[in-house]
Amino acid sequence: MSRIAAADFLLLDSGAIFSEQTVRDGQSDPNIKVLDQYDLASYDLLEAGHKFLFLDEFIDQELMLDQKDRIKAFLDQGNLLFFGGQLFRHWIPGASLFVPKMIHSYLDYQVTVLDHPIFDGVLSDDITYNKGVAGFFSRGHHPLPEGAEVLLRLAGEEPITYIDRQSSQGTIVVHAGRNLLNYRHSSNSAGRIGAQFHRFLYEEYQSLQRRRAQA
């Protein structure tokens, strides 16, 4: 198996201009394999040795719907999937379609940060507001699957980010926003998210493998 094929992260490239920086960063990191989304159908996902599958809000969800059985099989190997965006097709196990939030005031976008290592030390205002404007971080939610752990909520208690360990034999992180690994360079507390999420992913993977070994 080549070093590239054995990269821990598989990042699907949607081809969207807004994802170009993420793709460039991935291409320069030997631990990330960047794959054109339309090559997924012919890619040996289950034998490539990746631990983490990352997909952003611009991914072709009709294509993902066609690939949902292989995505589920990848998870059932004890791997992790992260999706950041707004679901409009049922291709992630246990996940429901995105529900836009009815907005009456900018305060409706206020983010509540719950106790979790990914968001340790992150202040609500630092992710609620971007240059003084609310609404960039998340504008709705995905209804929760049974047993999901909620990490962030909007002002009306809608879940922005959740972890699902029940719908597959792996772990699914769904975030109604953008790629959490990209929150690394902010000068405020939001800049903590990327490194803390990266650490969580590896800790979670090790936990999954231990549970599989004990089963």
Side-chain angles (χ1 to χ4, degrees):
M1 185 180 295
S2 71
R3 182 184 180 189
I4 294 177
D8 288 344
F9 289 82
L10 178 61
L11 172 66
L12 292 191
D13 179 9
S14 64
I17 190 169
F18 295 108
S19 300
E20 285 183 348
Q21 185 60 55
T22 300
V23 169
R24 284 195 296 269
D25 290 346
Q27 290 170 334
S28 65
D29 187 337
N31 204 32
I32 299 175
K33 178 175 177 60
V34 177
L35 182 72
D36 186 292
Q37 63 180 347
Y38 296 110
D39 290 335
L40 179 62
S42 60
Y43 186 71
D44 197 352
L45 178 64
L46 303 184
E47 297 297 329
H50 305 299
K51 299 177 175 67
F52 314 113
L53 176 59
F54 267 62
L55 310 99
D56 70 16
E57 66 264 46
F58 304 109
I59 205 75
D60 183 341
Q61 295 192 42
E62 300 293 352
L63 173 66
M64 294 304 105
L65 184 63
D66 289 340
Q67 297 297 312
K68 68 176 184 179
D69 291 341
R70 296 177 70 229
I71 291 170
K72 173 66 160 53
F74 173 80
L75 284 162
D76 287 342
Q77 291 180 325
N79 297 317
L80 287 87
L81 178 148
F82 170 80
F83 172 73
Q86 303 175 0
L87 284 171
F88 64 87
R89 289 290 184 266
H90 292 284
W91 55 272
I92 297 178
S96 297
L97 304 186
F98 179 78
V99 180
K101 184 171 178 61
M102 184 70 69
I103 299 300
H104 303 284
S105 162
Y106 72 94
L107 295 174
D108 294 332
Y109 288 125
Q110 189 73 39
V111 178
T112 297
V113 181
L114 304 179
D115 184 20
H116 192 274
I118 295 174
F119 298 101
D120 182 46
V122 176
L123 303 179
S124 172
D125 281 358
D126 287 345
I127 52 178
T128 299
Y129 300 100
N130 185 345
K131 298 179 181 179
V133 179
F136 286 101
F137 191 74
S138 181
R139 299 188 177 189
H141 77 286
H142 300 93
L144 293 172
E146 183 176 355
E149 178 183 6
V150 180
L151 311 186
L152 300 175
R153 292 188 183 275
L154 285 168
E157 298 297 305
E158 301 94 339
I160 299 172
T161 312
Y162 71 76
I163 299 171
D164 178 8
R165 299 182 176 93
Q166 305 296 319
S167 298
S168 73
Q169 295 177 48
T171 296
I172 299 164
V173 182
V174 173
H175 172 66
R178 296 197 166 180
N179 188 342
L180 292 175
L181 286 178
N182 291 343
Y183 287 88
R184 292 178 179 270
H185 308 299
S186 175
S187 60
N188 61 28
S189 67
R192 300 171 61 94
I193 297 172
Q196 291 176 173
F197 186 36
H198 189 272
R199 187 180 310 118
F200 162 81
L201 291 169
Y202 279 95
E203 291 174 352
E204 183 71 14
Y205 178 79
Q206 292 300 322
S207 178
L208 283 167
Q209 296 308 306
R210 285 195 297 270
R211 290 201 296 270
R212 285 171 60 83
Q214 295 168 0

